[in-house]
DNA sequence: TTAACGGTGTAGGTAGACTT
DNA sequence: AAGTCTACCTACACCGTTAA
């Protein structure tokens, strides 16, 4: 695997997208990228002095250079203690870009001694320190001191330095050390650090991995190789968040991970490494503990110096939430114990690996009798017959969501409104059985409701395209909030008759209204109702009242009786109403209009049923899944077709068929939705 | 239908400092 | 006293997308 794969252009590795790079490359940085520690003006990214914040810089080169270059010259301590922002602020991909830009004056600003001089920090890098330097010479044999220089670098340092996926950890990083592998590099580092002295050359400033990141406040690297920035999985913190100063144990633990003490072949899970670190910490000599405690103390002081007003304010988080349960493996616990024990005894690296492997073999032999049990245990994880896989469950969920979305769409008032209008258009434009006057005359003569083909209102009045006005409620489906939508008529009494039957006519229902826009340009339009409501003309019964001059449905225009809403312009008097509930069906023995469902299509079906036609009843619909959660019938393609048929509308193949109208309605619903 | 994959978020494990 | 947060990063969960 080449180093190039870890270059900044590799989004998958670096965690930085190309677009991200381009964006930052093409626009001035207003702030250090991902910087989450800038609470006060005094708190600048340590590599960017307050006098020259990135946002004030001009020019691409300077803009990029200052915030991107984290080079720490030897003028500073090798262990320069930069803030934690450094690692986050400096995009590894952009670090690589720094090569493309010559160091400008801004570069010098990076070396603000007030902010960047962390020479106070004791050098705890095991690779460039003698064991005595680390432990004060008191415990030279303690593994924390002795193991480093002899360890094969199989355990990659931590992410902020060199993670397992880092180029450094993967031997053969030519850009890092001219082909030297990581082990060689580390041995080189000790000398390199010492050699640097006052050398301000940056390319030779190769630091020990442990020292580079132990503070968590990364200092610069060899800018030739952009260090991979692993995507942080830490809890997201708000912008400007200041991390706490680390305590001795945390520093100790990081030291463990940075020092390759535990080969990955032995342990890679950091949960277990934490356990090992804890055991080691408890067993650590006082000298070692003191060193880390002193380091923590210094870090704390520096933290206070940098953030004088800082106050630790933990965020309250719920603790009663169900956390993910991870299966505990007793064998793993044993291994952790063994690793810690071996480390404390002074074994590390290959020796440690061998020791652990031996122990595992021994345990394996000893627990041979238990293998069957463990097998059974493992088998429990297998899928049982008929049990859906994780992916299958996921797919089912996705399908359910999609279905729900379709349902919502179908149930939306917009779609149903389109259905209604489409059906109405067919009704209004149909001929033959829908001869209004003929049926009116016939019905009047017979003293009964008009024949099939038209839907009645409560007054028995029929007219193609106006049925909904006569009936009390027009089920429009469901709004996006899940509440049923209905379209009401003109009168307060009639408009809410469905509900009023079981109680007083609702008042204040207007508050439950939804107002929809007039629809134009789609073959019909809602128009302002006539000033005179034809239902109340001269006390004439509506069913025999002559049609008004205005407000009648035409082929491409539907008129509605007036309904004035407070605050609604007169030209928008046609309203869709949102009652609390819809009357879906009524008992027999009443008039058709009373027992008919308030749904247009349901009306049609019910009417057809009343005519002894072989049509499904509401109950059947329910069983067929055409029922809404609140027992209302929803429009659907099938219902739409059925409605046309039950309404006695002859098929007209030469024109748009029902399916075409359905599609048209769907399309229109989409258009309305965009309104 | 399912696996694979990319992206995102977080539990887990520790000690100590710190706040509430 | 209880809970958070520092360090670390893998494993896992979850989602959406894509391909077989």
């Amino acid at each position: 695997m080449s180093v190039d794969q870890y270059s900044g252009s590799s989004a998958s590795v670096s965690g930085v997208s190309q677009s991200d790079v381009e964006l930052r490359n093409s626009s001035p940085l207003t702030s250090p990228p991902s910087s989450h520690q800038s609470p006060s003006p005094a708190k600048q990214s340590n590599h960017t002095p307050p006098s020259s914040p990135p946002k004030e810089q001009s020019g691409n080169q300077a803009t990029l250079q200052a915030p991107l270059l984290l080079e720490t010259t030897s003028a500073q301590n090798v262990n320069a203690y930069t803030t934690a922002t450094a690692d986050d602020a400096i995009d590894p991909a952009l670090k690589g870009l720094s090569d493309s830009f010559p160091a400008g004056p801004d570069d010098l600003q990076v070396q603000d001694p007030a902010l960047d001089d962390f020479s106070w920090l004791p050098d705890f890098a095991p690779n460039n320190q003698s064991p005595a330097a680390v432990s004060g010479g008191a415990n030279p044999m303690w593994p924390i001191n002795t193991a480093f220089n002899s360890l094969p670098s199989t355990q990659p340092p931590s992410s902020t330095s060199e993670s397992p996926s880092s180029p450094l950890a993967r031997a053969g990083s030519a850009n890092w050390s001219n082909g030297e592998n990581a082990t060689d590099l580390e041995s080189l580092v000790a000398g390199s650090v010492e050699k640097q002295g006052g050398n301000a050359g940056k390319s030779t400033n190769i630091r020990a991995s442990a020292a580079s990141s132990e503070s968590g406040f990364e200092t610069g690297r060899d800018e030739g190789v952009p260090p991979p920035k692993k995507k942080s999985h830490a809890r997201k913190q708000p912008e400007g968040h200041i991390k706490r100063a680390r305590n001795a144990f945390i520093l100790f633990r990081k030291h463990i991970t940075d020092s390759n003490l535990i080969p990955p072949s032995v342990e890679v899970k950091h949960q277990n490494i934490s356990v090992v670190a804890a055991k080691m910490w408890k067993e650590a000599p006082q000298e070692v503990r003191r060193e880390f405690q002193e380091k923590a103390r210094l870090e704390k002081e520096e933290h206070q110096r940098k953030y004088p007003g800082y106050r630790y304010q933990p965020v309250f988080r719920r603790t009663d939430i169900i956390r993910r349960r991870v299966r505990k493996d007793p064998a793993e616990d044993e291994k952790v114990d063994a690793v810690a024990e071996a480390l404390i005894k002074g074994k590390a690296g290959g020796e440690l690996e061998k020791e652990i492997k031996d122990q595992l073999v021994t345990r394996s032999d000893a627990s041979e009798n238990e293998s069957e049990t463990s097998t059974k245990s493992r088998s429990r994880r297998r899928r049982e017959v008929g049990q859906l896989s994780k992916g299958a469950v996921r797919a089912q969920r996705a399908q359910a969501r999609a279905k729900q979305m379709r349902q919502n769409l179908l149930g939306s008032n917009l779609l149903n409104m389109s259905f209604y209008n489409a059906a109405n258009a067919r009704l209004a434009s149909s001929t033959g059985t829908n001869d209004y006057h003929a049926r009116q005359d016939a019905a009047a003569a017979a003293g009964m409701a008009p024949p099939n083909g038209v839907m009645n209102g409560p007054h028995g009045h029929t007219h193609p395209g106006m049925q909904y006005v006569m009936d009390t409620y027009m089920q429009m489906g469901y709004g996006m909030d899940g509440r049923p939508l209905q379209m009401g008529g003109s009168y307060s009494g009639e408009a809410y008759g469905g509900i009023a039957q079981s109680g007083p006519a609702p008042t204040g229902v207007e508050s439950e209204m939804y107002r929809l826009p007039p629809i134009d340009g789609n073959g019909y339009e809602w128009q302002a109702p006539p000033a005179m409501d034809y239902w109340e003309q001269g006390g004439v019964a509506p069913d025999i009242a002559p049609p008004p001059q205005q407000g009648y449905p035409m082929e491409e225009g539907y008129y509605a009786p007036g309904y004035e809403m407070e605050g609604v312009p007169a030209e928008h008097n046609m309203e869709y109403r949102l009652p609390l509930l819809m009357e879906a069906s009524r008992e027999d023995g009443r008039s058709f209009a009373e027992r008919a469902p308030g749904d247009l299509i349901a009306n049609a079906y019910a009417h057809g049923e009343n005519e002894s036609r072989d049509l499904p009843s509401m109950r059947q619909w329910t069983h067929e899944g055409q029922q809404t959660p609140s027992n209302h019938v929803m429009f659907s393609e099938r219902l739409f077709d059925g409605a046309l048929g039950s309404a006695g509308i002859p098929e007209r193949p030469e024109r748009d068929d029902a399916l075409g109208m359905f599609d048209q309605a769907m399309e229109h619903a989409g258009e309305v939705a965009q309104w």
Side-chain angles (χ1 to χ4, degrees), chain A residues 439-453:
Chain A
R439 277 181 280 104
Q440 282 292 302
D441 293 340
M448 55 182 290
N452 181 37

Side-chain angles (χ1 to χ4, degrees), chain A residues 36 232-238 241 243 315-318 321 323:
Chain A
H36 49 260
S232 173
H233 285 268
R235 192 196 309 275
K236 282 225 166 181
Q237 296 287 7
H241 171 75
K243 291 182 180 180
V315 179
F316 173 76
R317 300 181 195 281
R318 288 186 57 179
I321 56 177
R323 298 180 184 277

Side-chain angles (χ1 to χ4, degrees), chain A residues 29 50-58:
Chain A
L29 289 174
S51 60
S52 178
K55 64 170 69 173
E56 296 173 0
Q57 294 166 3
S58 61

Side-chain angles (χ1 to χ4, degrees), chain A residues 324-342:
Chain A
R324 185 164 57 94
R325 289 172 175 81
V326 176
R327 191 189 304 269
K328 255 295 196 180
D329 189 355
E332 203 161 69
D333 292 342
E334 293 181 17
K335 191 183 82 173
V336 168
D337 287 340
V339 170
E341 192 178 339

Side-chain angles (χ1 to χ4, degrees), chain A residues 31 82 240 273 348 361 545 564 570 611 619 636 642:
Chain A
S31 63
T82 58
I273 291 175
V361 170
E564 294 183 3
E611 299 287 323
R619 185 178 301 278
S636 70

Side-chain angles (χ1 to χ4, degrees), chain A residues 242-472:
Chain A
I242 302 175
K243 291 182 180 180
R244 304 178 67 185
R246 296 164 297 177
N247 60 44
F249 174 78
I250 293 296
L251 291 173
F252 174 79
R253 189 204 177 281
K254 178 164 174 54
H255 189 85
I256 296 291
T257 58
D258 282 352
S259 61
N260 299 339
L261 205 58
I262 306 172
S265 58
V266 173
E267 187 58 76
V268 293
K269 295 174 71 174
H270 277 256
Q271 301 99 302
N272 294 339
I273 291 175
S274 293
V275 178
V276 170
K279 292 179 184 296
M280 292 182 68
W281 180 248
K282 286 169 183 168
E283 297 293 329
Q286 280 302 313
E287 299 89 328
V288 173
R289 293 174 69 113
R290 268 200 296 271
E291 287 286 349
F292 284 95
Q293 286 163 351
E294 174 67 8
K295 191 177 179 182
R297 186 187 66 80
L298 290 171
E299 179 165 327
K300 183 181 175 183
E301 286 181 4
E302 177 61 16
H303 192 273
Q304 289 174 339
R305 186 180 69 81
K306 291 193 69 173
Y307 315 115
Y310 175 79
R311 177 184 169 89
Y312 172 55
Q313 290 178 311
V315 179
F316 173 76
R317 300 181 195 281
R318 288 186 57 179
T319 57
D320 57 342
I321 56 177
I322 300 174
R323 298 180 184 277
R324 185 164 57 94
R325 289 172 175 81
V326 176
R327 191 189 304 269
K328 255 295 196 180
D329 189 355
E332 203 161 69
D333 292 342
E334 293 181 17
K335 191 183 82 173
V336 168
D337 287 340
V339 170
E341 192 178 339
L343 281 167
I344 292 169
K345 282 192 291 187
K347 293 181 178 177
E351 204 178 357
L352 173 66
E353 183 177 355
K354 184 176 182 302
E355 167 110 4
I356 299 303
K357 282 183 178 176
D358 290 344
Q359 289 197 24
L360 288 178
V361 170
T362 304
R363 287 203 184 92
S364 175
D365 295 339
S367 61
E368 196 169 349
N369 294 333
E370 303 173 5
S371 62
E372 192 177 347
T373 305
S374 73
T375 302
K376 284 181 179 176
S377 175
R378 281 195 300 272
S379 68
R380 281 199 296 268
R381 303 179 190 178
R382 295 201 198 107
R383 260 185 285 159
E384 296 175 5
V385 177
Q387 182 183 1
L388 293 174
S389 68
K390 204 172 89 174
V393 172
R394 185 191 304 175
Q396 281 191 346
R397 286 203 206 99
Q399 289 173 4
R401 281 192 299 274
K403 183 180 179 181
Q404 184 62 47
M405 288 184 65
R406 287 195 300 270
Q407 192 104 0
N408 290 341
L409 179 61
L410 276 172
S412 72
N413 59 320
L414 297 177
L415 181 58
N416 280 343
M417 187 172 65
S418 294
F419 281 147
Y420 169 76
N421 289 327
N424 244 358
R426 173 66 67 87
L427 286 169
S429 61
S430 62
T431 57
T433 58
N434 283 325
D435 187 314
Y436 163 69
H437 291 287
R439 277 181 280 104
Q440 282 292 302
D441 293 340
M448 55 182 290
N452 181 37
V454 212
M455 288 168 270
N456 291 324
H459 301 278
H461 176 81
T462 60
H463 195 286
M466 285 293 287
Q467 311 89 329
Y468 74 95
V469 178
M470 324 307 176
D471 209 339
T472 54

Side-chain angles (χ1 to χ4, degrees), chain A residues 30 57 197 214 230 237 326 399 418 440 453 520 543 558 580:
Chain A
T30 54
Q57 294 166 3
E214 62 180 294
K230 275 205 165 185
Q237 296 287 7
V326 176
Q399 289 173 4
S418 294
Q440 282 292 302
D520 298 317
D543 54 340
Y558 295 94
L580 299 176

